Amino acid sequence: MATPRPLPHLAGVGVTAPPGGRVGGGAWRGGGGAPGAGRRRHGGSGAGTAGPGTAGKRGQRHPGPGPRLPLLLLLGGLASLAGAQVTSENKEVPEHEPVEIPCAAFRSGSSPRIEWKFQKASSLVLIYYGGELTEPYRERVQFSRTSIRFQSVTREDSGRYICEVVGDSSHIAKSEVNLIVQVPPGKPQAHVPSSVTVGARAVLRCSEAQGSPPPTFRWYKDGTELPQDPKSSPAFRNSSYSLDPGTGELVFEPVGGWDTGDYHCEASNSVGTPQKSDVFRMEASEVNVGGIVAAVVLLLLVLALAGFGVWFAYSRGYFTKKTDAGGKKVIYSQPSRRSEGEFKQTSSFLV
């Protein structure tokens, strides 16, 4: 019996030729089996017989579907992708310092194709492609087959660096480095309401934008740090609030009269010193029922006085005009001074 041998042009695909050179029901060109071997029948009870005239006809193509090379190559490529090795690691470095990012996927002794990519959020940028560095990394990065080296990093360089290595047999290996450029936090901004009503809900916020890794937040009242659980401290046992160190949000629900005080927040990460915000005062006050009643009474008094003024003006005729029987205005002129015997009407007319 002839032994199986790898098919030519399919190295690395993992497909071998059966004895006789048949693949997928057809004959393999270039010397299948021994001279005189006939076509083997599939199905039925057993071995077939050699047909007449088949001896010595080496390389003759028999009926039936031939080898589907493009499909096999495609399947082989997909198998290589599915079997790609992936390694991942984290790396932290202070801002403005050099850093070397290794390509763990590279193995010595080979001449693979290497590509470097940078991913940040939904953006993907090529760093090294086609045997050369791309802009703007050409002046900032040194490339070697085992790593890339930054002369100086900034906070914008934080992200995921991907090294892909494709070998001669289409074997793919990939390594990833999550780079965190360390930046100390700046001065945080505190948002504190100046006045709140007892029994209502009050939200205090603290924010800071430049720290890397992102900072965590603490809140202080009258210089004393608020614990995450107010029941754990005698000083805040009467308060009812929730504190999120990741977002910097402090929520009082409900607000109590004892929550009045001076508040400020603090931002810190693994780099530099903690930074404090300005101090803001929050006043918690009861609802002033007496003031509300007094305001309502005063408003009613003003409305009553205004109504009385309008009534008085109408009653005195300040809002009426003299008219004749036809509804027309009558205008009279003042008679001139004359003697009693010479009285004469000078003018009289209707408008």
Side-chain angles (χ1 to χ4, degrees):
M1 177 181 294
T3 57
R5 67 188 185 286
L7 289 177
H9 311 299
L10 291 178
V13 178
V15 179
T16 58
R22 283 186 59 79
V23 178
W28 179 260
R29 292 182 181 272
R39 192 172 77 180
R40 179 171 297 176
R41 297 177 182 175
H42 294 276
S45 59
T49 58
T54 59
K57 295 183 180 180
R58 303 178 61 182
Q60 180 177 355
R61 189 175 183 88
H62 295 282
R68 301 178 180 180
L69 295 181
L71 178 59
L72 292 175
L73 290 172
L74 176 60
L75 293 176
L78 292 176
S80 298
L81 284 172
Q85 300 175 358
V86 180
T87 61
S88 180
E89 64 176 288
N90 295 328
K91 198 175 188 68
E92 295 189 11
V93 60
E95 190 176 27
H96 306 305
E97 293 291 327
V99 63
E100 185 170 356
I101 303 176
C103 179
F106 177 78
R107 296 291 181 267
S108 61
S110 61
S111 299
R113 184 179 79 249
I114 301 176
E115 294 179 4
W116 276 95
K117 302 172 184 176
F118 173 61
Q119 183 178 10
K120 190 169 188 176
S122 60
S123 172
L124 186 65
V125 180
L126 288 170
I127 300 176
Y128 184 84
Y129 179 77
E132 62 179 0
L133 291 165
T134 63
E135 294 290 348
Y137 298 98
R138 200 164 290 165
E139 303 297 329
R140 302 180 56 221
V141 174
Q142 295 176 347
F143 169 81
S144 70
R145 294 199 298 174
T146 58
S147 66
I148 55 174
R149 177 180 175 82
F150 283 83
Q151 303 295 332
S152 175
V153 290
T154 65
R155 62 197 67 186
E156 286 78 16
D157 294 320
S158 292
R160 187 179 301 275
Y161 291 82
I162 305 169
C163 176
E164 292 185 356
V165 179
V166 183
D168 296 335
S169 60
S170 298
H171 175 76
I172 299 176
K174 182 167 68 172
S175 63
E176 299 178 353
V177 175
N178 184 32
L179 180 67
I180 301 174
V181 179
Q182 298 173 333
V183 181
K187 182 178 180 179
Q189 300 294 321
H191 304 273
V192 180
S194 58
S195 178
V196 293
T197 303
V198 171
R201 183 176 186 265
V203 180
L204 286 66
R205 293 183 175 89
C206 187
S207 59
E208 193 281 328
Q210 72 179 39
S212 177
T216 56
F217 300 94
R218 296 183 178 93
W219 276 97
Y220 294 81
K221 175 193 173 188
D222 300 329
T224 303
E225 182 180 354
L226 276 74
Q228 276 197 272
D229 182 9
K231 307 305 179 186
S232 64
S233 171
F236 301 99
R237 186 170 298 166
N238 293 327
S239 295
S240 178
Y241 64 80
S242 60
L243 173 60
D244 190 338
T247 62
E249 192 171 78
L250 173 63
V251 181
F252 289 93
E253 190 172 9
V255 174
W258 44 82
D259 294 324
T260 294
D262 296 326
Y263 290 84
H264 76 274
C265 65
E266 181 182 86
S268 63
N269 63 7
S270 58
V271 192
T273 58
Q275 299 294 314
K276 296 181 180 181
S277 71
D278 293 330
V279 178
F280 299 91
R281 184 164 185 81
M282 183 178 76
E283 292 283 350
S285 57
E286 298 280 354
V287 177
N288 191 352
V289 179
I292 295 175
V293 172
V296 171
V297 171
L298 180 61
L299 177 61
L300 292 176
L301 182 60
V302 170
L303 291 175
L305 289 175
F308 176 77
V310 171
W311 172 83
F312 183 80
Y314 269 105
S315 65
R316 292 295 179 177
Y318 291 109
F319 297 116
T320 60
K321 296 180 181 179
K322 294 181 180 180
T323 59
D324 64 353
K328 297 183 179 180
K329 295 179 182 177
V330 179
I331 302 176
Y332 297 96
S333 62
Q334 186 70 25
S336 59
R337 287 184 177 272
R338 300 176 185 275
S339 63
E340 294 181 0
E342 296 180 350
F343 174 77
K344 184 179 180 181
Q345 183 175 355
T346 58
S347 63
S348 176
F349 57 89
L350 297 175
V351 177

